[in-house]
Amino acid sequence: MSKNKIYKPKPISGFPEWLPEVRRAEQAWFDHIRAVFESYGFCNIETPSVEELDAINAKGGDGESDADKEIYVIERLHKEEGDKEARLALHFDQTVPFARYTAQHFNELVFPFKRYQMQRVWRGERPQAGRFREFYQCDIDVINVDSLPLAFDAEMPAIIWEILSSLPGMENETIQIRVSNRKILMGFLESLNIPTRDGGTTKLSDEIISEIVRDIDKLDKMGEEIILSRIDQTGSQAGLGFGLDGSIKPFIKICKQKFTNGEDLEEALVNDANINTSNPTLKEGMRELSFVMNQLSHLPEGAVVADLSIVRGLDYYTGTVYETVFTDDPGYGSICSGGRYDDLAGNYINKHLPGVGISIGFSRLFDRIRQKGTLPVKGVSPADVMVVLPSEEVRSLMMQTAQALRANGNKVETFHSPAKLKKQMAYAEKKGIPYVWFPDLDEVKNMETREQTKANPKDWKHDEN
Amino acid sequence: MSKNKIYKPKPISGFPEWLPEVRRAEQAWFDHIRAVFESYGFCNIETPSVEELDAINAKGGDGESDADKEIYVIERLHKEEGDKEARLALHFDQTVPFARYTAQHFNELVFPFKRYQMQRVWRGERPQAGRFREFYQCDIDVINVDSLPLAFDAEMPAIIWEILSSLPGMENETIQIRVSNRKILMGFLESLNIPTRDGGTTKLSDEIISEIVRDIDKLDKMGEEIILSRIDQTGSQAGLGFGLDGSIKPFIKICKQKFTNGEDLEEALVNDANINTSNPTLKEGMRELSFVMNQLSHLPEGAVVADLSIVRGLDYYTGTVYETVFTDDPGYGSICSGGRYDDLAGNYINKHLPGVGISIGFSRLFDRIRQKGTLPVKGVSPADVMVVLPSEEVRSLMMQTAQALRANGNKVETFHSPAKLKKQMAYAEKKGIPYVWFPDLDEVKNMETREQTKANPKDWKHDEN
């Protein structure tokens, strides 16, 4: 034993780590997500953990958060004199690295480029409950040169539904993917003729439109009343003394509703809210949203709904947008978000690369289900069976038995010291290994039923069901 | 398209990233390694990418390299005033995090604790060919409280052989795992009575023993002559004017040989080198090495050899030690190394935790095979089959076909725009998708043989062999 002073380790706030049995459940989640992504033909990429700081600054992500203010830079502890290397920063999302990757390898990629990416990202937020500084995201995106079929916008929610509805431990969660198209809101706001104090009318400026969009993004959290009063205040400050909330109120009413298809939504806009839907941007948005919803009609009712309050940030997304919530806890926020963007990598390459993507906030979701206690946690050991060592003389037979069992595709532990059988069994029990094998007896014991039967290691296979 | 100035991205030296088809081969490697680790009942853990700098400084790793001098620290780009957080550093190996993890979660772990870990590590080395600053390691270790059966020392090379001999693309490599036991060398050096200038004899000091061990570690690289002259110089400087190389020469001769079992090695020590093997430490080392070699006798000849020149570092390892080389290119260095240690986490916890472990230098090995061109690189897309869209009217049928094929376990891409069939086929070809499906015809085309046959999506399954 060391005589040094002992440094007692403690958790680092925001940097989670799991016990082996929880990590096993986490691996099962990654395996499941990967399998679904690949079943739709998405290929995987990994990018380095770092980007050049200058590259990050050239593009600030999807504008969703103040992530760029939370950047971690890395630096050698013992720098050498004259070090003139570029400053490197840990990536805070997978969008910036994906854009940089696509630009850098543009000539070697096949388009449409469909990739998934499941890596850690880092954000130096203030430590707080439910917030991680290091966490996994699982992203898929499809990008193409110049134009990308709208059908991909429908593929994203289909994939996400398939994943989330069958993640182990999520069986009793009711989740809902909420879809909108930003063109509807933008077209509506563009089309408004707002009365001014001097008795005329005016169009809303881009700046005011941006502020209203930001407000509507908060509708779910803050409620209709607060949002309407904020919008009215925005109007007043801009010299639009009256009428702003009045013009927008009917639209907000529709924003609060969920629709199972685009036609019902359009009808509500026209008939219930008396909104003029002739604006071309609004029209295009309605057409796109209807197509996407229509493509998703095979999913269970309520799995995907059209919801005009979904906005997602400000500049990055240009069409379809997605959020995903627990319907019994919408205040928890979105667990999976994304949308259509017009140009992925314009800051890195002189190509027009429209795309659509979606991202699962993996670690936050996993931790929620873990804390709820519904995560199916199997034993610590992945082994199907443990071969005991009744005495030193049996060692060679034990090893042969274990190899024969492995050759059949079983996962096998061996107990390497000829301890009392009781102790060996207790070890298998504690590690959650479902079967114990007695090589000297050619017998296997089911640790749950305690049943012990004759068996041949050459043809025994653990049936996991 | 963006009107901003374009920031043209370039690779960051030492931080590799792969094209999708190469990443696919890398994933296949990880899957294979994980499957073998788990088939021996090892569970997985992941630790955060960072440790507290103070925790790292409390324990300097396996002494194998100057890794602690290459530490990267992380720091928020925009620090807030009064930030008083502990300094964090990216881990430079998986041993320090594993030791810290074991100490921190000691009461929640089941011992023997058998874990595997496959994560990135970071070392701020000077950029140079074949050296990465960010790379993957794949480690397994078994630790126990107070004592650990020697049989685990034999399990490590068995696992590594199973992995390395069947990694895709490694089929034509001849690799060899070289095993020694440090007690043999230490016991031998302890037992020497070295003539002094005044005509008496003396034992070697710990310091001189350390230097000689360091020299023998370099035997393979520098050759016998240089090593003997270095050892003699060490002796001279310590006032042991003559005889040091003479005493050690016969042992060095044995170090240069490979043995298929412990008995042959012992016989060579006694009969060929006239070495007195009565030292208790040496005896114990011989007994342990013989046991380990004996347990591995089922492996192909030459897969594992006893080789006394294997030493591995200085302080950390105390018994069995391993290195793994390409026999046709031993100068490339070890691709997989490890050994038995007496105490994993003495700096973090007041428990005696002996263990044995081994680590595959994943990224360096993968990159070597990649550069050799023997890596089996399949298509960019993981899809088994692509369903074409002959016209917009067929879209719904196409989607149903794709879902039916997925339900059978196939990975399926769909072509989402009704482009010319030639263009759709060219896309499948470029992405390396082996089959193309015509939903309107109920026909599937094998892209290699160009054969097109009738098929039902409900019972078609791609047979990968």
Side-chain angles (χ1 to χ4, degrees):
Chain A
M1 216 170 303
S2 169
K3 280 155 207 135
N4 296 352
K5 199 170 153 284
I6 294 211
Y7 180 91
K8 199 161 173 277
K10 49 191 184 308
I12 305 173
S13 175
F15 291 80
E17 73 183 0
W18 313 125
L19 287 172
E21 56 273 29
V22 179
R23 168 62 187 160
R24 235 185 123 190
E26 190 183 44
Q27 280 183 304
W29 275 37
F30 281 121
D31 291 345
H32 173 66
I33 295 171
R34 173 182 167 186
V36 178
F37 285 165
E38 292 190 355
S39 79
Y40 283 79
F42 285 75
C43 69
N44 185 237
I45 68 164
E46 272 198 353
T47 64
S49 302
V50 298
E51 298 288 334
E52 285 188 6
L53 192 57
D54 290 345
I56 291 182
N57 284 337
K59 179 164 177 62
D62 59 9
E64 179 188 345
S65 73
D66 292 335
D68 50 333
K69 293 189 185 65
E70 298 159 353
I71 287 173
Y72 280 113
V73 290
I74 73 168
E75 192 155 274
R76 283 195 284 166
L77 182 58
H78 301 286
K79 275 196 180 172
E80 282 158 48
E81 257 183 78
D83 259 357
K84 282 259 180 262
E85 291 167 23
R87 280 191 92 182
L88 302 177
L90 296 170
H91 51 225
F92 59 85
D93 71 4
Q94 295 179 135
T95 303
V96 172
F98 175 53
R100 194 267 313 145
Y101 180 98
T102 305
Q104 191 173 320
H105 304 289
F106 182 81
N107 292 320
E108 296 156 291
L109 299 173
V110 183
F111 292 90
F113 179 34
K114 298 168 64 175
R115 84 85 174 80
Y116 74 94
Q117 204 168 342
M118 314 200 293
Q119 293 187 241
R120 286 173 164 175
V121 304
W122 293 266
R123 293 187 189 175
E125 295 193 73
R126 282 190 169 282
Q128 50 182 305
R131 289 299 205 172
F132 294 131
R133 296 175 142 197
E134 174 176 65
F135 55 96
Y136 277 101
Q137 287 186 332
C138 299
D139 290 14
I140 33 172
D141 285 83
V142 189
I143 46 166
N144 201 17
V145 184
D146 293 332
S147 73
L148 179 75
L150 189 62
F152 284 112
D153 296 45
E155 196 166 89
M156 297 289 142
I159 293 171
I160 292 304
W161 175 257
E162 197 169 323
I163 288 171
L164 295 181
S165 62
S166 54
L167 272 174
M170 293 267 296
E171 293 81 359
N172 295 322
E173 304 291 336
T174 52
I175 57 155
Q176 187 169 65
I177 304 171
R178 297 176 174 174
V179 186
S180 185
N181 190 303
R182 281 173 60 100
K183 289 174 188 166
I184 299 172
L185 175 59
M186 301 309 278
F188 164 71
L189 293 173
E190 274 169 33
S191 73
L192 288 179
N193 293 307
I194 306 292
T196 52
R197 283 187 181 137
D198 59 13
T201 64
T202 181
K203 293 285 178 191
L204 293 173
S205 69
D206 288 352
E207 206 186 346
I208 292 184
I209 287 179
S210 287
E211 277 207 47
I212 295 172
V213 168
R214 249 192 302 251
D215 280 338
I216 290 179
D217 197 18
K218 299 184 188 107
L219 187 59
D220 234 29
K221 269 186 200 140
M222 305 181 74
E224 182 180 359
E225 213 165 315
I226 292 175
I227 294 305
L228 281 173
S229 98
R230 284 172 68 116
I231 289 173
D232 213 35
Q233 207 182 336
T234 302
S236 301
Q237 283 166 0
L240 308 167
F242 50 92
L244 190 49
D245 71 331
S247 307
I248 289 171
K249 205 168 188 167
F251 192 88
I252 297 279
K253 286 259 178 263
I254 305 297
C255 284
K256 285 180 59 195
Q257 296 174 50
K258 322 288 175 214
F259 298 88
T260 55
N261 60 65
E263 291 70 31
D264 289 355
L265 167 60
E266 188 155 16
E267 202 186 291
L269 280 176
V270 176
N271 296 341
D272 302 351
N274 280 315
I275 286 170
N276 176 351
T277 56
S278 64
N279 171 280
T281 307
L282 190 159
K283 265 183 126 67
E284 189 174 282
M286 266 315 311
R287 188 187 57 76
E288 290 183 2
L289 182 57
S290 291
F291 175 86
V292 167
M293 291 302 295
N294 191 32
Q295 290 292 306
L296 296 166
S297 58
H298 63 288
L299 296 181
E301 202 183 321
V304 183
V305 293
D307 176 344
L308 290 186
S309 73
I310 304 304
V311 173
R312 304 300 308 153
L314 284 174
D315 303 322
Y316 188 66
Y317 295 113
T318 52
T320 309
V321 279
Y322 320 100
E323 289 190 1
T324 312
V325 296
F326 294 105
T327 47
D328 59 357
D329 186 9
Y332 184 73
S334 180
I335 56 173
C336 181
S337 316
R340 160 76 68 151
Y341 39 87
D342 189 49
D343 192 15
L344 174 74
N347 295 298
Y348 299 131
I349 192 169
N350 193 15
K351 299 275 177 190
H352 181 211
L353 298 173
V356 61
I358 197 161
S359 172
I360 304 171
F362 181 95
S363 298
R364 190 164 167 261
L365 179 61
F366 179 76
D367 195 40
R368 179 185 165 100
I369 303 302
R370 183 187 71 84
Q371 288 194 33
K372 265 196 147 181
T374 57
L375 205 61
V377 172
K378 298 187 195 170
V380 177
S381 170
D384 302 299
V385 56
M386 186 187 85
V387 186
V388 299
L389 180 63
S391 69
E392 194 56 47
E393 292 71 46
V394 184
R395 185 179 293 280
S396 165
L397 177 63
M398 172 192 78
M399 297 298 280
Q400 286 162 26
T401 304
Q403 272 312 104
L405 286 165
R406 279 187 198 109
N408 291 343
N410 297 294
K411 297 173 181 170
V412 187
E413 279 210 40
T414 45
F415 201 91
H416 276 312
S417 74
K420 286 204 174 117
L421 276 184
K422 214 171 169 178
K423 190 181 164 190
Q424 301 191 38
M425 307 289 284
Y427 170 81
E429 193 100 51
K430 270 196 281 184
K431 282 224 167 159
I433 303 172
Y435 287 89
V436 167
W437 197 284
F438 302 89
D440 50 339
L441 305 173
D442 274 340
E443 287 183 4
V444 63
K445 187 186 188 86
N446 181 322
M447 294 296 278
E448 204 186 334
T449 65
R450 316 307 288 182
E451 201 185 354
Q452 191 163 327
T453 50
K454 282 273 169 204
N456 184 339
K458 289 193 177 130
D459 55 28
W460 190 87
K461 174 84 176 82
H462 179 214
D463 175 14
E464 289 194 57
N465 300 315
Chain B
M1 216 169 304
S2 169
K3 281 156 207 134
N4 295 350
K5 199 172 152 284
I6 292 206
Y7 181 91
K8 199 161 173 277
K10 51 191 182 306
I12 305 173
S13 175
F15 291 80
E17 74 182 359
W18 313 126
L19 287 172
E21 57 272 30
V22 179
R23 168 63 187 161
R24 234 184 123 192
E26 190 183 45
Q27 281 183 303
W29 274 38
F30 281 122
D31 291 345
H32 172 67
I33 294 171
R34 174 182 168 188
V36 177
F37 285 164
E38 292 190 354
S39 79
Y40 282 79
F42 285 75
C43 69
N44 185 237
I45 68 165
E46 271 197 353
T47 64
S49 302
V50 298
E51 298 288 334
E52 285 189 5
L53 192 56
D54 291 344
I56 291 182
N57 284 337
K59 180 165 175 63
D62 59 9
E64 182 189 341
S65 72
D66 292 336
D68 51 330
K69 294 190 184 65
E70 298 160 353
I71 288 174
Y72 280 112
V73 290
I74 74 168
E75 192 155 276
R76 283 196 282 165
L77 182 58
H78 301 286
K79 275 199 183 172
E80 282 159 47
E81 258 183 75
D83 259 358
K84 282 260 180 261
E85 290 167 21
R87 281 191 90 181
L88 302 177
L90 296 171
H91 52 224
F92 59 83
D93 70 4
Q94 296 180 133
T95 303
V96 171
F98 175 52
R100 193 267 314 144
Y101 179 99
T102 305
Q104 191 173 318
H105 305 289
F106 182 80
N107 292 320
E108 297 156 290
L109 299 173
V110 183
F111 291 90
F113 179 35
K114 299 167 64 175
R115 84 85 175 78
Y116 74 95
Q117 204 169 342
M118 314 200 295
Q119 293 186 241
R120 286 172 163 175
V121 304
W122 294 266
R123 294 188 188 175
E125 296 191 73
R126 282 189 169 283
Q128 50 183 304
R131 289 298 203 171
F132 294 131
R133 295 174 144 200
E134 173 176 65
F135 55 97
Y136 277 102
Q137 287 187 332
C138 299
D139 290 15
I140 31 170
D141 285 83
V142 189
I143 46 165
N144 200 18
V145 185
D146 294 333
S147 73
L148 180 76
L150 188 64
F152 283 112
D153 296 45
E155 197 165 89
M156 296 290 141
I159 293 171
I160 293 305
W161 176 257
E162 198 168 324
I163 288 171
L164 295 181
S165 61
S166 54
L167 274 173
M170 293 268 294
E171 294 81 358
N172 295 323
E173 304 292 336
T174 52
I175 57 153
Q176 187 169 65
I177 304 172
R178 297 176 175 175
V179 185
S180 184
N181 190 301
R182 280 172 60 98
K183 288 175 188 166
I184 299 172
L185 175 60
M186 301 309 277
F188 164 71
L189 293 173
E190 273 169 35
S191 73
L192 288 179
N193 292 307
I194 306 292
T196 51
R197 282 188 182 137
D198 59 14
T201 65
T202 182
K203 293 285 175 191
L204 294 174
S205 69
D206 288 354
E207 207 188 343
I208 291 184
I209 287 179
S210 288
E211 278 208 45
I212 295 172
V213 168
R214 250 192 302 252
D215 280 338
I216 290 179
D217 198 17
K218 298 184 189 110
L219 187 59
D220 235 28
K221 269 187 200 140
M222 307 181 72
E224 182 181 358
E225 212 165 316
I226 292 175
I227 294 306
L228 281 174
S229 98
R230 283 171 68 116
I231 289 174
D232 212 34
Q233 207 181 338
T234 301
S236 301
Q237 282 164 0
L240 308 167
F242 49 92
L244 191 48
D245 72 328
S247 308
I248 289 170
K249 205 168 188 168
F251 191 89
I252 297 277
K253 287 259 176 262
I254 304 299
C255 284
K256 287 181 58 197
Q257 296 175 50
K258 322 288 174 213
F259 299 88
T260 55
N261 59 65
E263 292 70 32
D264 289 354
L265 166 59
E266 188 156 13
E267 200 185 292
L269 280 176
V270 175
N271 296 341
D272 301 353
N274 280 315
I275 285 169
N276 178 350
T277 57
S278 64
N279 173 279
T281 308
L282 189 158
K283 264 183 127 69
E284 189 174 283
M286 265 316 311
R287 188 187 58 76
E288 291 182 2
L289 183 57
S290 291
F291 176 86
V292 168
M293 291 302 294
N294 191 32
Q295 291 291 307
L296 295 166
S297 56
H298 62 288
L299 296 181
E301 203 183 318
V304 182
V305 293
D307 176 343
L308 290 186
S309 72
I310 304 306
V311 173
R312 302 303 307 154
L314 284 173
D315 304 323
Y316 188 65
Y317 295 113
T318 51
T320 309
V321 279
Y322 319 100
E323 290 189 1
T324 311
V325 296
F326 293 105
T327 47
D328 60 357
D329 186 9
Y332 185 72
S334 179
I335 56 173
C336 180
S337 317
R340 158 76 70 150
Y341 40 86
D342 190 49
D343 192 14
L344 175 74
N347 295 298
Y348 300 130
I349 192 169
N350 192 17
K351 299 275 179 192
H352 181 210
L353 299 172
V356 61
I358 197 160
S359 172
I360 304 171
F362 181 95
S363 298
R364 190 164 166 260
L365 179 62
F366 179 76
D367 195 41
R368 177 185 166 100
I369 302 302
R370 183 187 70 84
Q371 289 195 32
K372 265 196 145 182
T374 57
L375 206 61
V377 173
K378 299 186 194 171
V380 176
S381 171
D384 302 300
V385 55
M386 186 187 85
V387 186
V388 298
L389 180 63
S391 68
E392 194 56 44
E393 293 71 46
V394 184
R395 185 179 294 279
S396 167
L397 177 63
M398 172 191 78
M399 297 297 280
Q400 286 162 27
T401 304
Q403 273 310 106
L405 286 165
R406 279 187 199 111
N408 292 342
N410 296 295
K411 297 173 181 170
V412 187
E413 279 210 41
T414 45
F415 201 91
H416 275 312
S417 75
K420 287 203 174 118
L421 276 185
K422 212 170 171 180
K423 191 181 163 188
Q424 300 192 37
M425 306 290 283
Y427 171 79
E429 192 102 50
K430 269 196 279 184
K431 282 224 168 161
I433 303 173
Y435 288 88
V436 167
W437 197 283
F438 302 89
D440 50 340
L441 307 173
D442 275 339
E443 286 184 2
V444 62
K445 187 187 188 88
N446 181 322
M447 294 295 278
E448 203 186 337
T449 64
R450 317 306 290 182
E451 199 184 357
Q452 192 163 325
T453 50
K454 282 272 170 206
N456 184 340
K458 288 192 177 133
D459 56 27
W460 189 87
K461 175 85 177 80
H462 178 214
D463 174 13
E464 289 195 58
N465 299 314

